[in-house]
Structures are given as C-alpha cells and as structure tokens.
Amino acid sequence: MIKDIDTTLISLITLTFVITTSLSWLVLRTLKEGRKALKEINKDSN
C-alpha cells in the first residue's frame, strides 16, 4: 500500500513538472513572437 502511494506521488510530481515546464515554454514562446510582431508593426508604420 505504501509503495503504491510513493509511486502515485512520484508520478504526480513528475506530471506537475512536465505540465509546468510546457506551459512556461509556451508562454515564453508566445511573448517572444508577440515582441517580434510588435517590432514589425512599428517598423511598418514608420
């Protein structure tokens, strides 16, 4: 029973880490693309 709880806890921690890392990567990539798009818009309007 304790072994099952340990395995479940390790799986939950690993899943949380993977989801957090993926969301952080997605947010950072979106912000980078957004900055690039804003620079292009400003360049075109000048």
Side-chain angles (χ1 to χ4, degrees):
M1 182 72 183
I2 293 176
K3 185 174 174 62
D4 291 339
I5 292 173
D6 289 344
T7 303
T8 303
L9 183 62
I10 290 171
S11 297
L12 185 61
I13 290 170
T14 304
L15 184 62
T16 302
F17 177 75
V18 169
I19 289 173
T20 304
T21 304
S22 297
L23 287 175
S24 297
W25 177 81
L26 182 64
V27 167
L28 290 174
R29 185 167 174 95
T30 303
L31 289 173
K32 182 180 176 185
E33 290 294 322
R35 277 195 299 263
K36 192 187 297 183
L38 286 174
K39 285 180 184 176
E40 285 186 23
I41 289 171
N42 287 336
K43 188 173 65 173
D44 290 344
S45 66
N46 286 340

